Amino acid sequence: MKDSESGDRLGSYLRARRELVSPAQAGLPPGGNRRVPGLRREEVALLAGISPDYYLRLERGRDKNPSPQVLESLARVLQLDDIERAYLLGLAAARPRAPRRKRPEHVPARVHELLTHLQIPAFVEGRAFDVLASNPMAVALSPRLRPGQNRLRSLLLDPEEQAFHQDWTKATADFIAALRITIGDDTDNPRFVELVGELALSSQRFRTLWARHDVRSLDGGTTTVHHPVVGELRLHRDKLPIDDVILVVYYPDKDSDSDEKLRLLAALSLTESASTAHDRPSDTPHPRTL
């Protein structure tokens, strides 16, 4: 994986978070001639109650086993939330592992069956946001939810997907932060290495957000999207882990405007499918007229 993360992820994370905390946020006078964004190393050390030399060793990867007490102090100074704090503690606890071979993610047969029964947009995604399976309503909601697509790649590189999201800026920040927490210490996973490398080369937005080292959980929530046919939809999202994959469902409030629009989208999808089937040439020869 690019940069020093795989070998010195703790130091990289501390450095990135330090640069995001202003002196005013830390209760310090702004001062003049500051050459670095955010806090200086010595300021972090002072506020955390550790020596500047020891903090420098942490950032430079010379000490990768700080005590939980030191990490808790740093989390407080860097104003980390609960998810970020847990991530920091996990970085210090991580241990090197042997490289893993790429293993395809498998969608259980019962999940394929479940998708056919759901009347709301539903699909299965892997750890790297690869779409592994989906139902017709998901594809009607967005063609980028077909199997074989990658949700993060589409979000960053596909203009139609960018227009689809009401708040594209927030969506990209959430997805990239969720990817980092999903990767965790699995930095040698070939799929993660491949995806991060591809997006780092092709998307400035990805490079900017990846360098921040944000971490965020992307589970339940509510989003607003702009569908090119039925217009604006306000949908709730739930993610349900099943074995090694995740079932994602989108649904509106019952009897809401979005509920009505989603029903219309379902009807249009059925009509289009029937029309396509009718226009498709039959493989069965017509019987001869006697």
Side-chain angles (χ1 to χ4, degrees):
M1 194 165 291
K2 193 177 182 292
D3 70 31
S4 61
E5 296 169 40
S6 57
D8 181 24
R9 295 164 57 239
L10 175 61
S12 296
Y13 188 66
L14 290 172
R15 184 164 52 253
R17 304 318 296 181
R18 170 172 62 83
E19 293 175 352
L20 296 176
V21 180
S22 69
Q25 289 174 316
L28 297 174
N33 300 320
R34 300 186 70 89
R35 295 181 297 173
V36 296
L39 297 176
R40 300 185 178 103
R41 291 191 183 95
E42 56 269 25
E43 291 171 335
V44 174
L46 173 66
L47 293 171
I50 59 178
S51 73
D53 180 65
Y54 180 59
Y55 180 75
L56 178 63
R57 294 205 307 273
L58 288 176
E59 270 204 10
R60 292 185 174 176
R62 296 174 184 168
D63 188 329
K64 299 181 182 179
N65 296 288
S67 69
Q69 292 80 7
V70 167
L71 293 175
E72 292 286 359
S73 295
L74 290 173
R76 173 181 51 79
V77 173
L78 299 176
Q79 302 182 14
L80 305 185
D81 61 25
D82 289 344
I83 293 176
E84 293 164 340
R85 171 183 161 277
Y87 183 78
L88 174 63
L89 293 170
L91 289 177
R95 293 290 183 269
R97 298 178 307 180
R100 300 179 178 181
R101 291 193 302 174
K102 187 173 182 178
R103 186 178 64 182
E105 293 172 307
H106 174 69
V107 180
R110 70 182 189 280
V111 177
H112 282 289
E113 185 69 20
L114 174 61
L115 287 174
T116 66
H117 289 281
L118 292 175
Q119 302 302 309
I120 55 176
F123 60 95
V124 177
E125 70 178 15
R127 295 177 64 205
F129 299 119
D130 293 313
V131 180
L132 307 176
S134 59
N135 67 0
M137 276 302 297
V139 177
L141 180 66
S142 170
R144 279 80 61 188
L145 293 179
R146 296 182 187 276
Q149 297 285 319
N150 179 272
R151 298 182 68 206
L152 182 54
R153 183 194 298 113
S154 297
L155 186 63
L156 289 167
L157 305 180
D158 190 319
E160 292 184 1
E161 183 70 7
Q162 294 170 12
F164 183 70
H165 290 267
Q166 182 187 63
D167 193 343
W168 179 80
T169 300
K170 182 179 184 301
T172 53
D174 287 346
F175 266 75
I176 292 171
L179 177 65
R180 187 176 284 282
I181 204 170
T182 298
I183 290 175
D185 64 350
D186 198 10
T187 55
D188 59 358
N189 183 294
R191 180 62 186 124
F192 291 142
V193 172
E194 176 186 34
L195 181 63
V196 171
E198 175 191 359
L199 296 178
L201 289 173
S202 56
S203 170
Q204 177 60 51
R205 176 70 173 163
F206 180 84
R207 292 193 293 272
T208 299
L209 291 176
W210 193 248
R212 287 172 54 94
H213 286 248
D214 291 334
V215 290
R216 201 167 304 154
S217 176
L218 188 60
D219 297 321
T222 302
T223 187
T224 300
V225 298
H226 296 288
H227 192 276
V229 176
V230 299
E232 183 175 292
L233 292 165
R234 182 177 182 273
L235 302 172
H236 303 299
R237 177 191 66 241
D238 275 317
K239 291 192 168 190
L240 311 172
I242 301 178
D243 295 346
D244 295 329
V245 296
I246 298 172
L247 174 66
V248 186
V249 294
Y250 283 93
Y251 56 96
D253 288 325
K254 187 173 177 57
D255 299 326
S256 65
D257 181 60
S258 294
D259 190 10
E260 183 178 342
K261 289 179 178 179
L262 204 62
R263 293 177 189 275
L264 174 59
L265 184 60
L268 293 172
S269 177
L270 285 174
T271 301
E272 182 179 348
S273 297
S275 175
T276 302
H278 181 270
D279 294 339
R280 187 182 302 123
S282 174
D283 293 331
T284 304
H286 292 286
R288 295 180 181 180
T289 302
L290 298 178

